[in-house]
Amino acid sequence: MKTDFDKIDAKARELAERLGPVTYNSDGMFAPTGGGATGPFATAETHRRALESAHAKLAYLLESRDESKTVDPLSFLDLRDGGDDRRGLPGKPVMTGWLDYAARILAKPAFLRGLSQAGEKIRADFQAFVSIGIGGSYTDVEGVITALNPAGSPLPVYYLGQHLSTDGYARFFREMEALSGKAAVTVISKSGTTVEPAIAARLVLERLSSMGKLGAVFAVTDPARGALRETAREEGYNPPAYITPEIAEEFSVGEDIGGRFSCITPAGLFPYAAAGVAVDELLYGYHYGVTAGRETAANQAALRFAANEAGATDLVLAYNVSSLRGKILAFRQLWPESTGKDGKGLNVMEEFYTSDAHSNGQLIASGTRNIMEVFFFTGESPADFPIPRSAHDRDRLNAVAGGLTVHDVNNRFMGALLLDHRRSGVPVTAVRLPRVTAFHLGMLSGVEQLATAVFGLMSGVNPVNQPGVQGYKEIAQGLLGLKGTGAQDKAMGELRAFGL
Ligand code: PA5
């Protein structure tokens, strides 16, 4: 008899066959034959060694889901929460719940059905959806929703709490004044104590309520503890008209899943459902990425590691479809927050081509040879335009008119950048999504998250904690006086020394 897991696996494979998987071609991570290109390329030998290490780290990562191996408080210490750059804290959860979360939640059809019904009801009842969160509680939310709705989502979605920029708030409140109905608001914060979203929640709830525009309020947070969980209970957030008992049971960020890995939990799934995203397809794609995509992920980790050891300190993520920007920014968060520890890690930049070919394209082609580049191509674009013929043809583009579309030209231009950069000493990888669908975005997330975690372990750091982002949070809380007047006076004194 087939287990739930086998059925989910089979369905994911069937979708991959029907839609075509995301593919990675990394021939360009090696120097072009014929010589001439000098740069931090991998070689057959550095790749072989790195791949061996990547496989060992991948096996370690996958074993961390084996409960019989995690009872020892010291096992998988490199994958526990808290601690320092290298090690998590004994007793803290092993933060690899994302490895099998998609399969576990796909085995709960009542939850998925309930979630999509809640999304439908939210779209029927409200005129806007406000998603409040920062870091891993924000990047993929906007990334996936904008990528899948290039012409705007069926319910307008606003993102707040990811900054404290008052011009953004002013614009948001102006738009809310003009809203004909009410807005649903969701606060996403695993810890429930992050100050930026806490301020956003206060402001948004207070202002929308006084405008008479506040609809249902939701909160996605830690399953067991935290300030937001308490507030949600006391204030009646997550009304049962939307969050039915089938949803409520799973309506949290898993205890063993960190922010930047949480897009497949309700932290991402709930806003996706409100925006009409095919949540189950995304989960199948993610599951396929972390299972069938394991070898690809290990190879990507190995090649990027080999290039890094050869001097590629910067990883450029290049794309040419503007609605993919948010998704690329989620990867720009994933890699540095996971691997930038203990004096190591990659500096990740995003380049929107061909726009950026006319600015820092110069540096990538001819500057310091410390760059590797991953190009994200998409086969089809949801909207495309033929190139019109011209009577005078002074620009000589009639040669492509009628044959190539704007998206075809766009891909050829990015192909030109790939070839040129490789020739000038940049190791390159071409990633291809046949189309931008929920399945493909899910698969891409699965492969990149796995590759990031393996790369971090290969570098000797804990890829699933983030002690470095605590530093500024602590100081900021001191500056605000949330840690007593002594701490505030000290921090303010230090700041005044900068004339601030
Ligand atoms: O990846 C992470 O863990 C971080 O980026 C967090 O998501 C971010 O700091 C927000 O934390 P929280 O969800 O606790 O508000």
Side-chain angles (χ1 to χ4, degrees), residues 437-454:
T437 69
F439 179 85
H440 294 109
L441 294 181
M443 179 178 173
L444 197 58
S445 294
V447 172
E448 288 293 324
Q449 289 181 7
L450 207 49
T452 309
V454 170

Side-chain angles (χ1 to χ4, degrees), residues 348-371:
V348 182
M349 306 190 287
E350 48 104 27
E351 300 293 321
F352 175 46
Y353 289 142
T354 60
S355 184
D356 293 335
H358 297 256
S359 57
N360 33 356
Q362 170 63 40
L363 174 106
I364 297 170
S366 311
T368 315
R369 300 295 73 194
N370 63 345
I371 293 170

Side-chain angles (χ1 to χ4, degrees), residues 133-138 188-194 197 253 258-262 333 337 464-466 469-470 473:
I134 191 168
S137 296
Y138 153 68
I188 308 167
S189 175
K190 185 170 180 197
S191 62
T193 53
T194 310
V253 184
R260 57 196 174 280
F261 297 88
S262 70
Q333 178 208 356
E337 202 175 0
V464 288
N465 69 356
Q466 51 285 325
V469 301
Q470 297 310 324
K473 288 188 185 178

